[in-house]
Amino acid sequence: GSWQPPKRFEGNIYTIKGTSGTLYYDAKKKRIEKVFAENDGKPVETLFTYNADNSLKSMKVVVSADGVEAVVLTEVFRLRNSTNFPDKLFEF
């Protein structure tokens, strides 16, 4: 998609709006804090947490629809680079 130039939200946090949603970026810590989007008119918020060495620790996705809230928490125990995976895994 296309992205607009960053705009200061508060403190070190900037918002970057795109065709798929809005990204909240911490310029001081150099990481994405949150992504907000709408899917079929329903709000979808993804929150990121990081460990002490600034590596991704978890992603929490919250979707609200018709008064019901669904939460999915993904915890990252080992973060690896895609070069460690054989190309065969990505052949469909």
Side-chain angles (χ1 to χ4, degrees):
S2 60
W3 296 93
Q4 296 177 2
K7 292 183 180 176
R8 184 181 298 263
F9 179 67
E10 62 182 32
N12 297 317
I13 305 293
Y14 289 79
T15 58
I16 305 169
K17 293 187 182 212
T19 53
S20 298
T22 303
L23 189 137
Y24 292 78
Y25 180 78
D26 188 322
K28 184 175 182 181
K29 296 178 182 176
K30 299 186 186 301
R31 64 189 192 191
I32 298 169
E33 297 292 332
K34 173 170 75 168
V35 176
F36 179 81
E38 285 196 17
N39 189 350
D40 292 331
K42 311 294 189 278
V44 179
E45 184 175 55
T46 305
L47 304 165
F48 300 89
T49 58
Y50 299 86
N51 60 19
D53 67 353
N54 210 26
S55 294
L56 184 63
K57 182 179 176 183
S58 68
M59 295 181 338
K60 179 180 177 182
V61 180
V62 181
V63 180
S64 299
D66 302 323
V68 177
E69 184 174 273
V71 178
V72 176
L73 178 64
T74 303
E75 293 182 321
V76 179
F77 296 110
R78 184 184 302 180
L79 191 60
R80 295 174 40 176
N81 189 306
S82 62
T83 59
N84 297 328
F85 296 101
D87 290 339
K88 192 169 189 167
L89 287 175
F90 302 98
E91 295 174 6
F92 300 100

